[in-house]
Amino acid sequence: MTELTQSFLDFAHDKRADLVGFAPISRFDDVPAKHHPATIFPETQTVVVVGKRITRGTLRGVEEGTQLELYGQYGLSWLADRMLAITTIALATFLEDHRHEAVPIQDLPPQTPPSGVAVRPDLPAPNVMIDVRQAAVRAGLGEIGWCGEVLTPVYGPRQRFQIILTDAALTPTPLLQQAVCDQCGECRTTCPLGAYDGSESELAIAGQSYRVGHCNPAVCRSCKNGARPNPHHAAGLPDRLGALCIRSCVDHLERAGLVSNGFTAPFRKRPAWQIDRTGAPSLATSGE
């Protein structure tokens, strides 16, 4: 590990970054130009992925069905746009203090359509959107679980990411080799809307392959069980990290010992509430 890489990690720890990974730009060779980091910063050598956890307690009000806005603040908008953004810009300034350009980038949905015209024939139209969740996989921080979300061996699905593009050649983080998702299927069986149809596909990222269940985002957008619209663009995938399906994943991974951030008490202490397609509330019969 280079001296700059270790100094950067020490600084990131001091700034309360929970997860940091380094992906060499070569790990993006399979990404089209309209989503490629080098389209934004052609001299990029390293894509730094920075993560902050969603504290388990932030999900408590959603899990009990009694306080849904705490998650919207500390688990979504404030976490991403304030706390994580402050950490990300601090790490970017560290790199620039060491004479390396650093481009901080928010987790914006790659499904967002272009909002301008190409300035040169060889460039895609603005705005180029990088798939930040896939970048986290390329940076060795996690995998894509069957549920379709990033799962890390520390927090499972409980984190958010931003990235920094830099011309610094930082020591790459090895790609994650251990499986976090055990394909239990609780995300599918606990969904009261039937958003998962049971089919799956193979998703290839940087030479790794992941089995991912098909989840209908249009159904998720109507979910009243903790899912929320994408905060940045209507075309983006809905936010499901507080939804019943992903909360069931949190509980399962902890009970199965598949994540290292453990607790003295289980996450799910009572049968989970759910609201079905008709809007009627009830208690879930699985995932207890």
Side-chain angles (χ1 to χ4, degrees):
M1 182 180 295
T2 66
E3 182 179 351
L4 177 60
T5 304
Q6 186 60 61
S7 297
F8 182 89
L9 288 171
D10 292 342
F11 183 81
H13 177 75
D14 290 343
K15 295 301 178 182
R16 301 296 295 174
D18 292 311
L19 298 162
V20 180
F22 307 109
I25 194 63
S26 60
R27 289 187 187 166
F28 292 80
D29 284 349
D30 60 338
V31 177
K34 64 181 179 179
H35 299 302
H36 200 288
T39 308
I40 298 174
F41 182 21
E43 289 73 34
T44 301
Q45 291 201 51
T46 305
V47 177
V48 182
V49 181
V50 184
K52 282 189 79 69
R53 78 185 82 176
I54 299 172
T55 63
R56 198 173 83 161
T58 296
L59 297 171
R60 179 52 52 198
V62 185
E63 176 68 9
E64 304 302 330
T66 54
Q67 222 307 340
L68 307 184
E69 289 309 308
L70 289 178
Y71 167 76
Q73 296 164 342
Y74 289 99
L76 181 55
S77 61
W78 289 0
L79 179 61
D81 299 332
R82 300 186 188 187
M83 285 86 86
L84 179 54
I86 289 171
T87 301
T88 300
I89 194 64
L91 270 57
T93 57
F94 174 91
L95 290 170
E96 298 213 342
D97 285 345
H98 288 76
R99 303 174 64 82
H100 292 285
E101 190 168 343
V103 183
I105 296 183
Q106 168 65 291
D107 182 7
L108 301 174
Q111 299 83 14
T112 305
S115 58
V117 297
V119 299
R120 292 204 312 260
D122 60 335
L123 291 178
N127 286 306
V128 171
M129 300 295 186
I130 300 171
D131 192 321
V132 172
R133 297 190 302 171
Q134 288 200 17
V137 176
R138 297 176 194 275
L141 294 179
E143 65 174 9
I144 302 296
W146 198 91
C147 63
E149 300 291 342
V150 178
L151 305 181
T152 69
V154 184
Y155 305 111
R158 288 192 297 109
Q159 63 270 307
R160 296 196 181 277
F161 300 104
Q162 291 185 7
I163 63 178
I164 302 169
L165 313 181
T166 181
D167 53 12
L170 300 169
T171 304
T173 305
L175 292 170
L176 185 69
Q177 298 300 318
Q178 67 190 93
V180 182
C181 180
D182 62 358
Q183 310 283 309
C184 72
E186 285 200 28
C187 50
R188 178 177 63 84
T189 58
T190 57
C191 173
L193 305 182
Y196 292 96
D197 62 14
S199 65
E200 60 183 40
S201 59
E202 294 288 328
L203 176 63
I205 304 175
Q208 307 278 80
S209 183
Y210 305 98
R211 291 171 54 200
V212 180
H214 176 257
C215 184
N216 187 336
V219 175
C220 291
R221 290 187 181 98
S222 67
C223 178
K224 304 299 182 185
N225 296 276
R228 290 171 175 256
N230 190 285
H232 297 291
H233 198 282
L237 296 177
D239 176 76
R240 299 187 297 138
L241 297 187
L244 175 57
C245 56
I246 304 303
R247 285 185 281 114
S248 297
C249 179
V250 169
D251 184 66
H252 173 79
L253 292 178
E254 289 185 8
R255 290 179 186 271
L258 293 170
V259 290
S260 61
N261 184 227
F263 296 82
T264 56
F267 173 67
R268 182 156 293 162
K269 304 174 180 66
R270 289 160 282 280
W273 62 274
Q274 62 180 30
I275 295 177
D276 63 19
R277 291 178 180 272
T278 69
S282 63
L283 294 179
T285 57
S286 61
E288 297 177 14

